[in-house]
Amino acid sequence: MTFREIDRYLQYRQHLLTSNPRVCVVRSPNTATMEHVLIGKDTTLNLRMGITFPDDPAPEEVLPTSAKEGQSLIDQVIAATGPKAHPRLAQIMPSLVRHLHEFAREVNLTVPEWMAAVDMLNECGQMSNDRRNETQLLCDILGLESLVDEITSNMLASSNAGTPSAVLGPFYRHDAPLLPNGCSIIKNLTSATPWYSQAIADSAYITGRVLSTDGKPIAGAIVDTWLAAPNGLYEQQDDSQTDMNLRGRFETDRDGRFAFYALRPTSYPVPFDGPAGRFLTLLDRDANRPGHIHFIVSAPQHRALTTQLFDDRDKYLTEDAVFAVKDELVVKFSPREGDPKARWYLEYDFVLGREN
């Protein structure tokens, strides 16, 4: 069953659950025929159809015919790990197996639902490449990357003095051009560009320093930055944009300072051309991300920082579809006078923790 078909399947199931009486005429999700389906106390039928009622008995854990006495399916899967397994996998897999099996039992997961999930993950992998990571986007909308980012930051942080991290996101590209400080990352902007007027209105000069937690500037740090255009699309999503548009890397000077011209960021929805966006639709969730600028800041003997800066004017700050906004990362742009290349100004210092 495809991911699109599961949408239909769930609609049929909701129809069955809300219909009265419990004998309904429905269209099978896999055929064009009409079927009479009994929704009653036959738990096996209910589970097969993905239907349960509050008074249905909880399903018992499945014991395969080859199970050793007293050993459940979960125990067998965990015990199958061999003595030469990777130490970290041997540590975490028992917990993963237990949670997966308990989740399936808790929600009475059916074969069509499981296959739809497999199909969705397959599609995420098939459309992912070095320009877009759909599987990572799926993790983002589930809040998983934000959670893992928080866990990792807490584990590595030696103090609270460093700049908070945020998710990488699915549209990072390696090897953005290394540019001199003071350059623009806006490429080939002309009056024929569809979002030309918005780009002029949001033109911005962005500068700051990269500091160590002791307050000393870090010379030679690399500031890698990227953002979406005013139409809400990153350059690899938009054939009309020049390759590597709104991307660049800058090396800090002896005072730890970087500077470049860019744009105030624009809010945009998670793309709906893949399974992650369609999943948000099934969940009836807002798909918008507040306007943000991505950064990866790195320097020798310091931990690399992956983060985002969010424009305080954006209405989606409290409704981020990937749950990445942190108060410390919300910034305020100021009007810039006397600069024909920028109407706005932002200064922000990044603080890197030292490697342990």
Side-chain angles (χ1 to χ4, degrees):
M1 180 178 285
T2 66
F3 188 56
R4 181 173 296 176
E5 288 172 328
I6 197 60
D7 184 18
R8 296 174 58 200
Y9 172 81
L10 293 173
Q11 293 180 37
Y12 301 140
R13 189 176 69 172
Q14 182 64 28
H15 172 68
L16 294 174
L17 287 168
T18 56
S19 298
N20 189 19
R22 286 188 170 186
V23 177
C24 311
V25 178
V26 299
R27 186 179 301 276
S28 167
N30 291 320
T31 70
T33 61
M34 303 301 289
E35 300 178 346
H36 289 271
V37 179
L38 176 62
I39 311 300
K41 291 302 176 186
D42 183 338
T43 304
T44 302
L45 173 63
N46 290 349
L47 294 182
R48 186 167 63 248
M49 295 298 296
I51 300 165
T52 58
F53 296 97
D55 52 353
D56 280 341
E60 297 180 0
E61 185 178 345
V62 177
L63 289 174
T65 56
S66 60
K68 298 178 182 178
E69 175 144 1
Q71 190 178 49
S72 69
L73 177 59
I74 291 179
D75 293 332
Q76 288 189 90
V77 176
I78 293 173
T81 299
K84 297 180 180 179
H86 186 282
R88 179 58 172 163
L89 286 178
Q91 178 187 19
I92 67 177
M93 286 305 297
S95 178
L96 176 62
V97 170
R98 288 192 185 96
H99 283 296
L100 283 175
H101 283 236
E102 288 168 1
F103 163 76
R105 289 201 308 273
E106 178 185 345
V107 302
N108 292 329
L109 191 68
T110 66
V111 169
E113 291 168 334
W114 169 70
M115 284 303 301
V118 171
D119 182 64
M120 178 175 65
L121 293 176
N122 288 342
E123 187 179 354
C124 284
Q126 290 162 0
M127 71 181 303
S128 296
N129 52 38
D130 62 351
R131 299 165 68 91
R132 172 175 175 171
N133 193 324
E134 187 72 7
T135 309
Q136 187 170 2
L137 180 57
L138 180 63
C139 292
D140 286 349
I141 65 175
L142 294 175
L144 182 59
E145 187 178 0
S146 287
L147 173 60
V148 173
D149 172 70
E150 189 71 23
I151 292 170
T152 305
S153 295
N154 291 338
M155 290 176 63
L156 295 177
S158 56
S159 71
N160 294 324
T163 300
S165 58
V167 301
L168 175 68
F171 295 109
Y172 174 66
R173 293 185 65 188
H174 293 276
D175 301 322
L178 184 62
L179 304 171
N181 279 304
C183 281
S184 176
I185 61 174
I186 310 168
K187 294 186 175 182
N188 296 334
L189 180 67
T190 70
S191 57
T193 304
W195 36 268
Y196 173 80
S197 297
Q198 188 63 44
I200 296 299
D202 284 341
S203 56
Y205 182 73
I206 299 173
T207 188
R209 296 176 299 163
V210 178
L211 308 173
S212 188
T213 50
D214 59 7
K216 295 180 179 178
I218 304 175
I222 298 297
V223 178
D224 191 345
T225 186
W226 69 102
L227 73 156
N231 61 358
L233 298 175
Y234 292 89
E235 47 87 16
Q236 66 264 56
Q237 296 176 279
D238 184 1
D239 291 338
S240 69
Q241 293 187 49
T242 302
D243 186 55
M244 291 290 181
N245 185 42
L246 292 170
R247 296 178 187 272
R249 292 181 296 150
F250 300 87
E251 183 175 353
T252 57
D253 62 20
R254 64 182 181 180
D255 297 320
R257 183 164 292 279
F258 64 91
F260 61 93
Y261 286 92
L263 301 172
R264 292 186 71 170
T266 302
S267 59
Y268 62 83
V270 169
F272 291 99
D273 59 344
R278 298 200 303 273
F279 193 51
L280 283 178
T281 301
L282 287 174
L283 293 173
D284 190 28
R285 273 181 46 184
D286 193 307
N288 286 291
R289 292 222 60 208
H292 58 279
I293 305 175
H294 292 271
F295 291 90
I296 297 178
V297 186
S298 58
Q301 288 80 54
H302 291 78
R303 292 193 306 275
L305 170 69
T306 299
T307 195
Q308 302 176 25
L309 296 182
F310 299 88
D311 196 330
D312 72 342
R313 71 177 178 180
D314 200 286
K315 64 180 181 180
Y316 294 111
L317 284 174
T318 60
E319 302 174 9
D320 185 6
V322 307
F323 313 100
V325 178
K326 298 177 182 178
D327 291 342
E328 303 93 323
L329 300 176
V330 178
V331 298
K332 185 177 184 64
F333 285 79
S334 302
R336 182 169 174 83
E337 305 291 342
D339 186 345
K341 295 191 291 184
R343 295 188 179 181
W344 298 97
Y345 173 83
L346 174 67
E347 181 157 1
Y348 189 90
D349 293 341
F350 295 100
V351 180
L352 304 185
R354 288 194 172 273
E355 290 182 341
N356 295 329

